[in-house]
Amino acid sequence: MIHVLQRARAFAALAILAIGACNGDSVPPAKGVAKASSAVPRTQQQANGDVVIRGNGADYRVAAVATPGTVSGTVTLKNAPASGATIATGAFGPVCGATVLDESIQLTGNSLGGVVVWIDGIHEGKALPDERRLELESVQCKLHPRIQAALTGSAVNIIGHDEFRQHLSFIARGDSAKRATVLVGGGEQVIPTELPFRAPGLVLVRDPEHSWTRAYLAVFDHPYFAVSAANGTFSVEGVPPGKHTLHAWHERTGETTQQIDVTANGTVKLALELTVK
């Protein structure tokens, strides 16, 4: 349980961040404070890869859908890599152990969890979810959950359990600068930030000093998205009838798309098979 004092510190950090944003001033890098970053080197921009998640191009509007459909299915992996891949921790071995397990592939049988699935081009439809607060924990030298999806305007509480300093960078593919940097230590420290969710995009969370530190935030400006569960299943409900483009992305397979046709009150059942590149 997070103590009252820790929450107070967290909200104080958020207040400092909000004041700096309103005044147009940069917030000095201090422990427990997230700040927007200046431009990153071109080599780092190139490493981010192509833009995956784009905005809808218009403001989303909540409107009644008379005969909505559902898109659901299961994601499987065609060519699962050998299990047990590890990453050396080097000088941080005394804290993390000599290696940490690479958790980029989350398999149950051949069913793949952690796949972001979304439908593009829907400009009006079901209500937006009220819950817009996420948690990202640094525990046992890894970030958990590995992948999350949320709406623009959301916020994330970063919780530090590990007793060493980490400089987390939030980098969206296609952006010319980091969306935020967060300095986090241990002691159950809680740091909130809204900066990664200021616009749609696929945001990579990493620490340049620790190669095993990695997570993703998929940010959307509409509610038609899901992340596949550990057993590979996903469901997107309240979809307006018609022809749509469905996207699926995983960090090891990249992006795939396919056309779907949602009928009135109908259910589209999909079996998505992805391939590790």
Side-chain angles (χ1 to χ4, degrees), residues 83-174:
S83 61
T86 58
I87 305 170
T89 60
F92 290 87
V95 178
C96 303
T99 61
V100 296
L101 183 65
D102 177 7
E103 295 183 343
S104 58
I105 300 291
Q106 303 172 30
L107 284 177
T108 302
N110 68 335
S111 297
L112 183 60
V115 178
V116 185
V117 180
W118 71 98
I119 301 171
D120 263 350
I122 301 177
H123 301 298
E124 63 177 42
K126 67 179 181 179
L128 300 171
D130 293 329
E131 181 55 50
R132 299 195 186 185
R133 176 72 63 171
L134 288 70
E135 289 190 348
L136 182 62
E137 297 185 84
S138 174
V139 56
Q140 296 181 340
C141 299
K142 289 173 285 189
L143 295 178
H144 295 281
R146 180 83 173 195
I147 176 73
Q148 299 182 80
L151 289 167
T152 52
S154 296
V156 59
N157 287 334
I158 302 165
I159 306 173
H161 301 289
D162 292 317
E163 295 298 332
F164 63 94
R165 291 160 62 91
Q166 299 178 81
H167 295 81
L168 299 183
S169 297
F170 293 76
I171 311 165
R173 291 188 173 189

Side-chain angles (χ1 to χ4, degrees), residues 52-54 115-121 202 218 220 222 224-226 236 245-250 255-257 260:
V52 176
I53 298 172
R54 293 177 170 84
V115 178
V116 185
V117 180
W118 71 98
I119 301 171
D120 263 350
L202 179 62
F220 297 94
H222 62 83
Y224 293 100
F225 59 85
V236 182
T245 300
L246 181 131
H247 302 251
W249 178 90
H250 184 273
E255 181 187 10
T256 62
T257 63
I260 57 174

Side-chain angles (χ1 to χ4, degrees), residues 44 143 167-171 204-211 213-215:
Q44 188 170 355
L143 295 178
H167 295 81
L168 299 183
S169 297
F170 293 76
I171 311 165
L204 166 64
V205 188
R206 64 184 296 267
D207 180 353
E209 299 175 6
H210 307 125
S211 61
T213 302
R214 184 172 294 260

